[in-house]
Amino acid sequence: MEVRVQNLRKEFGRFPALHDVSLDIRSSELIALLGPSGSGKTTLLRLIAGLETPTEGQIFFGDEDASKKTVQQRNIGFVFQHYALFRHMTVLDNIAFGLKVRSASRRPPRAEIHRRAKELLELVQLSGLEKRYPAQLSGGQRQRVALARAMAVEPNVLLLDEPFGALDAQVRKDLRKWLREIHDRTGHTTVFVTHDQEEALELADRVVVLNKGAIEQVGTPDEIYDTPNSPFVYGFIGQSNRVKVRITNGEIWFEERPLGLSAPRDIDGEAYLYFRPHDIELHDGDGGCIAGLLTSSRRVAGTRHIEMDIGPGHDRIEIELPPDRADRLDRNRIAFKPTRWKLFRNGG
């Protein structure tokens, strides 16, 4: 099922939570809504679900305007962060609940409900636990039950609001892989909200980055990470550095020395050079590079993160190196040059 959000605006009192948001979600696509707290991602999800009514704009399911329809009429599957399972029901009854409460004309026969619930139990890898109650399950198992229950009604769209937010890091990682496999097998159009950039980049076909109630960028994980279109996206997705530079005759200068980086299409003046900590090459001497004093060094998994002071008026920056290369550095002064970078006129 395709979903189209058109010029959506949502106000709570006088506070604009979303303004002029438009988004096309393809059938069978897994979309991540990513952004900091207050960016509007959960509001957008609730509007798609029908849990909120837009102040302005429309939401289409296929060619049909669903803006005024209820959650039930939209046939939505919704998974919340805190499971929202019925504690007095067994696992199997929880999964079957959405089918059992349908109107008589739409309710499948009892045997068909039981068959579908058992089938979903197997799909989410919980066979044998059908008679247990939610309190007898781990957090990860409860979230699997919640997802199976949402899929039982064969939804037009599956919506997940911070589905792994209440789980510990290792369980989250395991469930991310599992959710991607489930999505590929079932083909549900799926939208999930997260503030975890790693989760979004690992899981989604496309990522929608929101900021202050508006969409900053939509793209594949590679596009969002490698070619961010604004200082906000560059700073929010992954680690990044920002250095104030000057453009003169198509060349980028840091302080009083050229970096050997060309910007032929940029007009002269001040700008900000953004680059990732790992997108650098070390240099001998200070010519044609950025240099500074090492202030701290720490091991993070397979890399060493080195913080540097590059002078008054500049933020401290961080570079990443393999531990063996980092250990051979001059402990006082380090010089490097970005290998992949982007210029922005404002610093975000």
Side-chain angles (χ1 to χ4, degrees):
M1 172 70 72
E2 295 178 354
V3 178
R4 182 158 48 92
V5 173
Q6 187 172 296
N7 304 116
L8 212 58
R9 180 177 178 84
K10 177 61 180 178
E11 294 180 356
F12 294 101
R14 293 186 177 182
F15 173 73
L18 287 176
H19 42 88
D20 198 27
V21 168
S22 294
L23 176 66
D24 290 339
I25 301 170
R26 303 163 193 146
S27 183
S28 300
E29 188 172 33
L30 199 161
I31 282 272
L33 304 181
L34 176 67
S37 297
S39 60
K41 55 188 184 297
T42 295
T43 300
L44 178 54
L45 193 79
R46 291 175 64 83
L47 285 164
I48 294 171
L51 296 170
E52 301 285 354
T53 304
T55 305
E56 292 178 13
Q58 294 172 288
I59 299 166
F60 291 87
F61 280 23
D63 295 326
E64 192 173 4
D65 187 352
S67 306
K68 306 298 182 185
K69 290 190 172 185
T70 65
V71 180
Q72 290 76 21
Q73 290 170 331
R74 296 183 197 199
N75 192 30
I76 291 292
F78 209 115
V79 180
F80 298 90
Q81 178 176 337
H82 295 288
Y83 326 122
L85 298 177
F86 298 110
R87 289 179 291 178
H88 65 286
M89 289 185 185
T90 64
V91 165
L92 198 68
D93 287 339
N94 262 286
I95 295 172
F97 178 79
L99 295 171
K100 288 181 177 178
V101 297
R102 279 182 170 174
S103 61
S105 61
R106 297 178 60 236
R107 189 187 312 134
R110 182 177 297 179
E112 172 61 16
I113 292 175
H114 184 80
R115 184 198 65 77
R116 195 180 299 177
K118 290 276 284 186
E119 194 176 81
L120 283 164
L121 198 65
E122 186 174 336
L123 181 68
V124 299
Q125 300 168 0
L126 291 176
S127 295
L129 303 183
E130 55 265 37
K131 293 182 180 179
R132 291 194 185 181
Y133 290 86
Q136 297 172 300
L137 303 177
S138 69
Q141 288 172 329
R142 286 198 290 270
Q143 198 58 292
R144 290 178 187 228
V145 174
L147 184 62
R149 184 178 64 182
M151 291 191 295
V153 297
E154 297 180 337
N156 290 326
V157 184
L158 186 60
L159 305 176
L160 301 93
D161 188 9
E162 299 270 10
F164 310 136
L167 304 172
D168 65 53
Q170 187 55 51
V171 175
R172 285 175 72 119
K173 202 159 192 174
D174 292 342
L175 285 185
R176 286 206 296 262
K177 294 177 183 176
W178 169 81
L179 178 59
R180 182 71 234 193
E181 290 171 3
I182 293 288
H183 174 267
D184 290 343
R185 288 172 65 181
T186 60
H188 288 298
T189 302
T190 303
V191 184
F192 76 99
V193 160
T194 182
H195 64 271
D196 184 329
Q197 51 186 272
E198 184 180 316
E199 192 165 277
L201 295 175
E202 183 179 334
L203 261 176
D205 295 316
R206 286 191 300 154
V207 178
V208 180
V209 183
L210 289 108
N211 181 34
K212 297 179 181 177
I215 293 176
E216 287 269 349
Q217 187 172 356
V218 181
T220 65
D222 284 347
E223 289 167 345
I224 293 291
Y225 188 85
D226 293 333
T227 56
N229 66 358
S230 70
F232 172 81
V233 177
Y234 215 124
F236 186 71
I237 304 295
Q239 297 294 110
S240 65
N241 293 299
R242 183 188 72 164
V243 175
K244 188 182 289 186
V245 295
R246 189 177 76 257
I247 303 169
T248 303
N249 297 326
E251 292 290 324
I252 299 173
W253 289 63
F254 172 69
E255 299 293 358
E256 299 305 318
R257 53 187 179 271
L259 294 178
L261 304 177
S262 298
R265 297 178 184 173
D266 287 85
I267 60 173
D268 287 1
E270 285 193 348
Y272 289 89
L273 182 72
Y274 279 75
F275 58 95
R276 305 288 184 196
H278 51 82
D279 287 333
I280 60 107
E281 61 181 13
L282 296 176
H283 268 238
D284 293 325
D286 292 357
C289 61
I290 298 170
L293 298 176
L294 183 149
T295 58
S296 70
S297 175
R298 66 190 189 279
R299 178 72 178 260
V300 181
T303 62
R304 188 165 289 282
H305 292 208
I306 296 167
E307 190 176 273
M308 295 171 55
D309 181 350
I310 60 171
H314 295 286
D315 297 333
R316 290 193 175 184
I317 64 168
E318 188 173 279
I319 62 172
E320 295 177 17
L321 293 170
D324 59 333
R325 291 191 69 196
D327 292 342
R328 295 197 300 269
L329 287 175
D330 181 325
R331 283 302 184 186
N332 294 317
R333 194 159 183 81
I334 301 169
F336 71 92
K337 181 174 172 178
T339 54
R340 294 182 62 174
W341 47 272
K342 189 159 186 177
L343 286 173
F344 293 105
R345 284 291 166 176
N346 76 77

